[in-house]
């Protein structure tokens, strides 16, 4: 059974965690990688390690996103894998949340995903080939107290993914939404000694993205949920 062939990847909303793990894994498997973020000053080491091209982009700005895709295509060719990892949140009691902060948070989590997906789909559809992956969270399945902006954004992201999968999958575009159900370990968030494996390993999550990317089209997944094995649910 033939596995899909992908040549290049664009990761939007890149930071030192999951996005960095994805960039390393994609590069290891021979994909040309481009990474984009609002702030790019901390991406130099990752770019050197992976050979990734670094681009500055406000994912919630239509003009920025359109320019990003034009630049990526001009410098390295149109990516056939696009991953959206950006998200925004503002925590606090519902009655105290500044409306403008909530609007901005939802724009990053959901509207930005729409903008990036739209630009990606426009370029993938003529070839009937490509993959658009959206990174979700527990908040897209159940909204927690004091986290209404994050819940709204991630619920919208999940709805976008489900709609896109139904629209684009029959046209050759693999759309998948990943529910990251738990905290991700990092240098600033190590696993507690008394609770090993209680945080998700970003490299392990990246392997799951890669496995979904390799799925045969006769058995595509539109949504995958990952969580620590020690979690009660």
């Amino acid at each position: 059974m033939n596995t899909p062939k992908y040549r290049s990847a664009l990761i939007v909303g890149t930071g030192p965690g999951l996005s960095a793990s994805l960039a390393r894994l994609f590069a290891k498997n021979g994909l040309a990688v481009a990474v984009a973020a609002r702030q790019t000053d901390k991406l130099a080491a990752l770019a050197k390690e992976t050979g990734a091209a670094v681009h500055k982009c406000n994912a919630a700005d239509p003009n920025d996103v359109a320019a990003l895709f034009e630049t990526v295509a001009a410098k390295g060719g149109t990516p056939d894998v696009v991953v959206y990892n950006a998200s925004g949140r503002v925590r606090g009691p519902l009655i105290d949340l500044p409306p403008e902060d909530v609007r901005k948070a939802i724009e990053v989590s959901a509207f930005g995903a729409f903008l990036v997906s739209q630009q990606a789909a426009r370029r993938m559809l003529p070839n009937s080939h490509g993959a658009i992956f959206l990174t979700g969270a527990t908040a897209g399945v159940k909204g927690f107290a004091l986290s209404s902006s994050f819940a709204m954004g991630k619920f919208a992201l999940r709805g976008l993914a489900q709609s896109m999968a139904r629209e684009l999958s029959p046209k050759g575009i693999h759309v998948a939404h990943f529910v990251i159900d738990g905290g991700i370990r990092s240098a600033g968030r190590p696993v507690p000694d008394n609770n090993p494996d209680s945080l998700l390993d970003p490299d392990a999550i990246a392997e799951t993205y890669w496995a979904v990317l390799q799925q045969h089209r006769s058995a595509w997944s539109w949504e995958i949920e990952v969580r620590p094995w020690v979690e009660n649910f």
Side-chain angles (χ1 to χ4, degrees), residues 73-88:
K75 291 187 175 181
T78 300
D80 49 11
V81 178
V82 173
V83 181
Y84 190 81
N85 277 347
S87 62

Side-chain angles (χ1 to χ4, degrees), residues 26-123:
F26 288 160
K28 177 183 176 182
N29 283 282
L31 277 69
V33 178
V35 295
R38 187 190 297 260
Q39 301 294 333
T40 60
D41 53 312
K42 296 182 180 180
L43 298 179
L46 179 65
K48 182 177 180 180
E49 180 183 356
T50 61
V54 177
H55 303 274
K56 191 170 185 178
C57 177
N58 175 2
D61 184 311
N63 293 325
D64 259 23
V65 173
L68 169 65
F69 275 83
E70 291 294 335
T71 301
V72 170
K75 291 187 175 181
T78 300
D80 49 11
V81 178
V82 173
V83 181
Y84 190 81
N85 277 347
S87 62
R89 74 171 76 191
V90 52
R91 291 183 57 85
L94 181 72
I95 60 174
D96 296 334
L97 293 176
E100 182 63 14
D101 290 350
V102 173
R103 182 184 67 80
K104 290 179 179 178
I106 296 172
E107 281 185 344
V108 174
S109 293
F111 183 57
F114 159 76
L115 294 174
V116 169
S117 298
Q118 183 182 59
Q119 291 292 334
R122 284 175 176 171
R123 290 161 172 80

